[in-house]
Amino acid sequence: METQLDPLKDDLPLMANTSHMLVKHYVLDLDVDFKSQVIEGVIVLFLETGSRHRRTSSTDKEGCQSQFDETCKIRASEPCHIPVSNASVCSSKVEYNDFAVSGKGEKDTSDKNGNHSNEEQASGISSSKNCCDIESHGNKDFLLVLDCCDLSVLKVEEVDVAAVLDIEKFSMSAKLTDVSKEVEKNLRDQIVHELVTLPSHRWQEQLCYYTRCSQAPGCGELLFTTGTWSLEIRKSGVQSPADFPHAIRIWYKTKPEGRSVTWTTDQSGRPCVYTMGSPINNRALFPCQEPPIALSTWQASVRTAANFVVLMSGENSAKPVQFQEGIMSWYYYVTMPMPASTFTIAVGCWQEVKKQCFTAAVQTENEFSLPFSQADFRWHEEGCGHVDYPCRYQNPAATLQRVIPYRVFAPRCLMECCEEHLLQLIPQCLSAAYSTLGTHPFSRLDVLIVPSNFSSLGMASPHIIFLSQSVLPGGSHLCGTRLCHEIAHAWFGLAIGARDWTEEWISEGFATFLEDVFWARAQQLSHDEVKVQQELKALLRWRRLRDEVQNSEEELQVLRPHKESTGEVSESGASIVKHGLNAEKIFMQVHYLKGYFLLRSLARTLGETSYLASLRKFVHKFHGQLVLSQDFLSMLLEDIPEQKKSGLTVESIFQNWLDTSGIPKHCAFELQVTKWIRANQRIRKSGKKKRKQDEVVFQKV
Ligand SMILES: [Zn+2]
């Protein structure tokens, strides 16, 4: 695939050469300064060599590898070296990181460059912008390419993980006593390899050693250069990914104009900063591998003034600890590998909304649950299909949890409104989602009412949902449906990601379809009420889709723009996201609506009960993984009995729905709409006033 970019086009480049090396874990150590509107700090990347580039020859290297394999087998049954109770002690050590201090020490010399662009930061080595396959161009140094823009990179170095005190307790490789330079280098790589491949039951020990390794001294600066979209790192004389350092530390700071975060004030007039869902994702927040294939875990320590709250994609509900007078530090982590683009942070003077005097109306098991069929349990017995991580689907207690722990944060002036309209809806919606799809993929949830400059109604990230203040007034309907939509993204969009970002419909179509299902269950409506409500919403969506299709570029209406080459990347792993930076596309709803109508028509073919059973099977099979459209469609069609299928194939769905612009010609929806309008006119005559009120609310959807 061609990765040269036409600057006049609106495509988004994914530059990282993930086929050569993959980031497995990020350790972020950041200071948030509201005066200068800069986030500054250190990031440590733990890398694995890409599968095609692993060492295969050289006898001593093989010896090392086989010893490592032995180590793995022995260690799997060993007790954890680090007692569980020590994990948090270990974690909090990151606050006293010497390197963060030395990073600050450089501030004076680097400040004069503070406003320079990436290009001007280049450190004097020859630039090779937009060139991802440098390795194949001859006998040159290997380049590690990271996605990055609007960042001031100050320094890059290799981390001497072998220098971590008592690392030999953890790593058998570290017991080697030979001290030649080559062996030292291999030793460091072996330690990182053992660390990133630790079995999931040792996740606490793993996090602890990630922290300690991230604080280890450096062992040599690395050369780097920055381009418009990338940070390229090389080590002089190193020509292959296998020989490249596997733990690297980058000192950097963000720029106030960087597009990953927005610095603004909340509704109470107090300063805040948050990741607002930029098309460039997090590449102006930290250097990373953006392609979704680079699934990684992360941990982050964030320091800021004591009156601020730091919320983040993390599975722990962080409690602040004092770093120094007036500065608090917040520590979060995740153990489920996810694309770096899903990392989300929000720092502001928000307050937690707590219930004062109402009793949460969460349904009990018996009232509410729709028992899963016997067929559901057959595939439950199969293991997970993803890489090893501490998965909730394998944890019996987690699989029974209808409502995960949740918190709500809001600016002071909206606290009362949130308590009244939002707080009691959350357990209802979470419970409805559980009764539809089963196990919650994430262990907890924070909901934040974001500042008024937020450009959409909601955004879902791991462990955190952003909601616009616009959903708060107007009764529970708007707030409830939006909450259900964002909760649905925990499964579709987060636990199951799109392998190709242009197939956005997989997350948005499903979330739009499921918000109706969840919301109907959350309200405990009768079958007839559900039908009327869902038909009405379908009608409004149909009109919106029809208008959009008539008034937008045809190319932007295609849900699978890469067609048969979807998911393909260049030899290095780089690719481009078609129209990823198109301003018009960002506000289009065609992916939501056309995706929704496809799923709705499939539900009608299959019948709702067996359709929802298929969705549960799909999330069980594909959670923790990336999918393409065909993964879902093939699985679904397998479950449809022949007589119902009537010519429905993956190819026909591509042809009619996903690979073409416009709306499928034979979609019988228009007919049903007319029928609905006629039926509705009769109802209106009897209850005109009530219906009018409802319609006002629906118009806003
Ligand atoms: Zn799993």
Side-chain angles (χ1 to χ4, degrees), residues 15-16 23 26 43 45 145-148 151 229 231 250 280-291 294 296 340-341:
M15 304 292 283
V23 177
Y26 297 91
I43 184 167
L45 279 56
V145 183
L146 298 173
D147 292 295
C148 158
L151 289 181
W229 289 110
L231 165 64
I250 302 168
I280 63 159
N281 295 311
N282 291 319
R283 59 179 86 189
L285 180 59
F286 59 92
C288 58
Q289 290 187 327
E290 275 257 278
S296 62
S341 58

Side-chain angles (χ1 to χ4, degrees), residues 190-218:
Q190 277 304 320
I191 290 170
V192 173
H193 178 73
E194 289 183 39
L195 183 53
V196 301
T197 53
L198 268 188
S200 60
H201 69 273
R202 295 175 68 181
W203 64 271
Q204 282 162 312
E205 189 187 354
Q206 187 183 39
L207 276 175
C208 180
Y209 272 101
Y210 274 136
T211 304
R212 299 183 57 193
C213 287
S214 76
Q215 297 166 349

Side-chain angles (χ1 to χ4, degrees), residues 168 372 468 576:
E168 71 280 357
F372 301 147
S468 161
I576 54 167

Side-chain angles (χ1 to χ4, degrees), residues 255-318:
K255 297 178 182 179
E257 71 275 17
R259 287 161 289 162
S260 289
V261 296
T262 177
W263 299 84
T264 183
T265 51
D266 69 19
Q267 292 85 343
S268 292
R270 293 185 291 188
C272 60
V273 60
Y274 70 104
T275 43
M276 75 295 208
S278 164
I280 63 159
N281 295 311
N282 291 319
R283 59 179 86 189
L285 180 59
F286 59 92
C288 58
Q289 290 187 327
E290 275 257 278
I293 195 79
L295 299 173
S296 62
T297 48
W298 57 76
Q299 63 191 101
S301 287
V302 177
R303 288 169 297 276
T304 193
N307 50 330
F308 288 88
V309 173
V310 177
L311 302 176
M312 202 193 291
S313 296
E315 58 196 60
N316 57 319
S317 305

Side-chain angles (χ1 to χ4, degrees), residues 552-569:
S552 61
E553 264 181 70
E554 283 196 2
E555 209 188 329
L556 298 180
Q557 302 167 13
V558 180
L559 300 193
R560 208 175 70 112
H562 288 151
K563 300 192 171 67
E564 62 283 351
S565 65
T566 194
E568 285 178 17
V569 294

